[in-house]
């Protein structure tokens, strides 16, 4: 049985996987949470390339037919390298949903929240140049993904307040340019206001993944086995690089909760 491999620097990629499962409920997944190396956002490019290269090699040993990079930082730095190295393997990579702002909400002042690694990358800067609405603020949220990974509500609130307060009343769109950030949407709203519109690339990535798998005849058509089986733990093998059992528990809790929404 073939799998879809998906990875992030920790459990943040759960926000991507939840969208993928909505459109591809019949697939099997291997989720690799690289909490040993979290956060990626403050690492240099060479380190990130090496880390991602090793993860993909490991996922391929787990019989993966496709790889999803569910981390904006890893995508920004390593996706071209990995696509070149594995040119037959479909590698789908998340990126900050700034094009969506261009397409749907071009006139509104926009805040892009992402890691320092993403913001400094060439890929991100090309995206910014291409779709710039000239009303965009860029915010490298140093340490935020790390706090979300740890899950300490009080500390998350403190960082959000410190980072976001100056944009209250100024921005209307928020691009969630790190896969950990959709987990704190409510906290962001508390500071920036209820009417903020979020832009998250995950739903589009999920549709794109489906299209690519279909095109390559790689969709799992074995529906019979799945009809009565909506138990997420049977569909997803969770691996954490630091063998942290708490991570797995939290990952499945978030997934269960969000798939009921
Ligand atoms: N979730 C990752 C992203 O989308 C990064 C978090 C980190 O800095 O490790 O960028």
């Amino acid at each position: 049985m073939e799998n879809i491999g998906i990875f992030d620097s920790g459990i943040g990629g759960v926000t991507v996987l939840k969208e993928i499962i909505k459109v591809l409920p019949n697939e099997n997944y291997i989720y690799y949470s690289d909490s040993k190396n979290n956060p990626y956002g403050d690492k240099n490019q060479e380190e990130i390339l090496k880390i991602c290269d090793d993860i993909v090699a490991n996922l391929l040993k787990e019989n993966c037919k496709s790889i999803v990079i569910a981390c904006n930082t890893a995508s920004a730095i390593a996706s071209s390298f990995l696509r070149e190295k594995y040119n037959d393997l479909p590698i789908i990579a998340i990126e900050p949903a700034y094009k969506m702002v261009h397409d749907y909400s071009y006139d509104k002042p926009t805040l892009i929240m992402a890691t320092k690694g993403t913001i400094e990358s060439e890929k991100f800067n090309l995206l910014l140049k291409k779709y710039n609405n000239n009303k965009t603020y860029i915010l490298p949220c140093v340490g935020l993904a790390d706090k979300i990974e740890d899950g300490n509500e009080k500390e998350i609130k403190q960082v959000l307040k410190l980072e976001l307060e100056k944009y209250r009343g100024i921005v209307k769109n928020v691009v969630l340019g790190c896969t950990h950030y959709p987990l704190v949407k409510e906290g962001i709203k508390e500071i920036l206001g209820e009417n903020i519109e979020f832009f998250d690339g995950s739903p589009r990535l999920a549709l794109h993944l489906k299209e690519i798998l279909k095109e390559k005849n790689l969709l799992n058509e074995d529906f019979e086995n799945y009809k009565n089986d909506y138990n997420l733990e049977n569909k997803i093998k969770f691996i954490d690089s630091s063998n942290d059992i708490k991570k797995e528990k939290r990952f499945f809790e978030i997934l269960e909760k969000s798939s009921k929404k």
Side-chain angles (χ1 to χ4, degrees):
M1 208 178 324
E2 289 199 312
N3 303 301
I4 296 175
I6 169 164
F7 74 93
D8 180 35
S9 64
I11 59 168
V14 69
T15 61
V16 180
L17 181 57
K18 98 173 199 281
E19 297 299 333
I20 296 177
I21 291 173
K22 280 187 201 162
V23 297
L24 292 170
N26 303 308
E27 300 291 334
N28 296 294
Y29 299 92
I30 312 276
Y31 185 94
Y32 190 94
S33 148
D34 190 14
S35 67
K36 192 172 79 184
N37 291 308
N38 176 277
Y40 287 175
D42 307 333
K43 291 195 162 43
N44 68 42
Q45 301 213 355
E46 219 171 294
E47 285 173 294
I48 294 176
L49 277 177
K50 166 91 180 77
I51 288 169
C52 295
D53 195 18
D54 289 348
I55 293 175
V56 172
N58 279 325
L59 285 171
L60 291 178
K61 283 187 205 145
E62 298 273 347
N63 201 15
C64 289
K65 61 186 175 186
S66 170
I67 300 290
V68 175
I69 310 180
C71 170
N72 291 269
T73 316
S75 297
I77 291 158
S79 58
S80 309
F81 164 81
L82 291 169
R83 284 185 179 131
E84 216 165 288
K85 178 162 176 177
Y86 299 102
N87 53 17
D88 279 341
L89 178 72
I91 297 180
I92 316 298
I94 188 97
E95 70 174 12
Y98 192 50
K99 181 179 183 301
M100 274 175 82
V101 171
H102 175 272
D103 294 349
Y104 301 108
S105 193
Y106 187 76
D107 291 339
K108 293 190 184 149
T110 301
L111 179 68
I112 304 181
M113 297 171 68
T115 67
K116 185 166 157 281
T118 298
I119 287 171
E120 287 174 357
S121 70
E122 194 188 339
K123 194 166 173 246
F124 174 76
N125 282 287
L126 289 173
L127 181 81
L128 187 64
K129 201 167 156 201
K130 191 163 174 193
Y131 298 109
N132 207 328
N133 69 356
N134 297 312
K135 292 175 192 165
T136 297
Y137 303 84
I138 313 291
L139 178 63
C141 302
V142 178
L144 179 58
D146 207 10
K147 296 282 180 224
I148 298 171
E149 187 66 26
D150 290 346
N152 180 320
E153 300 293 332
K154 200 171 149 214
E155 288 182 5
I156 293 170
K157 275 196 172 173
Q158 277 168 353
V159 180
L160 287 177
K161 197 159 187 271
L162 193 77
E163 299 276 13
L164 295 177
E165 206 137 66
K166 53 181 172 296
Y167 299 103
R168 189 184 172 88
I170 295 178
V171 297
K172 300 274 182 264
N173 296 330
V174 173
V175 175
L176 299 165
C178 165
T179 55
H180 283 72
Y181 302 165
L183 297 174
V184 296
K185 268 184 179 173
E186 287 311 312
I188 296 173
K189 271 192 186 170
E190 266 173 39
I191 299 165
L192 294 181
E194 270 304 308
N195 297 329
I196 285 299
E197 189 164 355
F198 288 113
F199 292 82
D200 173 5
S202 306
R204 281 203 166 184
L205 174 144
L207 292 173
H208 180 56
L209 172 65
K210 187 176 179 181
E211 268 166 32
I212 300 281
L213 294 183
K214 195 168 173 202
E215 202 179 286
K216 296 194 176 288
N217 249 332
L218 287 173
L219 283 175
N220 184 10
E221 308 285 6
D222 183 13
F223 296 107
E224 285 308 309
N225 283 341
Y226 290 86
K227 262 189 191 155
N228 302 314
D229 175 17
Y230 278 96
N231 183 345
L232 292 169
E233 292 185 42
N234 291 345
K235 287 182 191 304
I236 305 160
K237 176 173 171 186
F238 180 91
I239 304 169
D240 181 69
S241 57
S242 46
N243 293 318
D244 184 343
I245 297 183
K246 283 191 295 230
K247 293 268 174 216
E248 177 163 4
K249 196 167 167 271
R250 199 157 150 245
F251 171 87
F252 280 108
E253 273 169 12
I254 297 172
L255 202 55
E256 293 281 350
K257 219 160 111 189
S258 54
S259 34
K260 281 182 194 129
K261 275 186 190 163

